[in-house]
Amino acid sequence: MTGDEAPGLVVCAALRLEARAVARGLTRAPAVVVGYRARHAARLPGCAAVAVVGFGGALDDRLAAGDVVVAEEIRGGGQPVPCPAARTLAAALAADGLRAHAGPLVTADRVVREPERRAWAADGSRVVDMESAHVAAALPAGVPVAALRVVVDGPGHPLLRPGTVTRGLAARRVLARTGPALERWAAALA
């Protein structure tokens, strides 16, 4: 790639910790930190595709810490954004040995409490984050987006409890294994 070409895929994460983890498995795509609630999403470089990755909270009580949820649709903050290749990406992650699922993702503006979890779970949403809808809204029309979250907390294992650190470290190891499938997803778009 010359200095004038835009990258094919840009992988973005809210936290430097998440970006460093996913970068371990990437060979061609850059991992970019967009900040808490994606406050730096407008600074993303031009690209052919974007993947939003990181940790998330399960809404579906069948999900366990370390499971990967790939968004079929990103909800929150406006019109839902469809992610038509979600099942293909989830299958690629499963082929790499990860427990991967597909389903709707919802972006919240704060840490979600139990009543909100139940309401979003009732509408079919499987995981919650704080960035994906903001990143999707910042993209130019026509740029494909994927969103995946590794479950750290959820029903039965709340975020602000002992055990979060252990679940977070396990989730970081899982996130580090998602890069190859993300790059295969982006290559298939070309």
Side-chain angles (χ1 to χ4, degrees), residues 30-138:
V32 176
V33 176
V34 294
Y36 173 73
R37 294 183 60 201
R39 65 181 180 269
H40 303 297
R43 297 184 202 161
L44 284 172
C47 57
V50 169
V52 188
V53 304
F55 307 131
L59 300 171
D60 182 335
D61 60 7
R62 295 170 294 181
L63 295 171
D67 284 1
V68 181
V69 178
V70 180
E72 290 178 318
E73 173 177 85
I74 300 168
R75 300 172 176 173
Q79 288 294 101
V81 176
C83 303
R87 291 200 180 269
T88 302
L89 179 53
L93 292 160
D96 289 346
L98 300 175
R99 291 186 320 260
H101 313 268
L105 174 150
V106 63
T107 297
D109 60 357
R110 66 191 172 289
V111 174
V112 176
R113 303 288 183 223
E114 209 48 45
E116 293 164 307
R117 280 187 196 274
R118 284 193 301 272
W120 283 329
D123 82 0
S125 296
R126 305 221 40 212
V127 69
V128 62
D129 75 357
M130 297 176 76
E131 291 80 31
S132 295
H134 301 297
V135 171

Side-chain angles (χ1 to χ4, degrees), residues 2 6 14 66 111 115 169 186 188:
T2 67
V111 174
L169 292 171

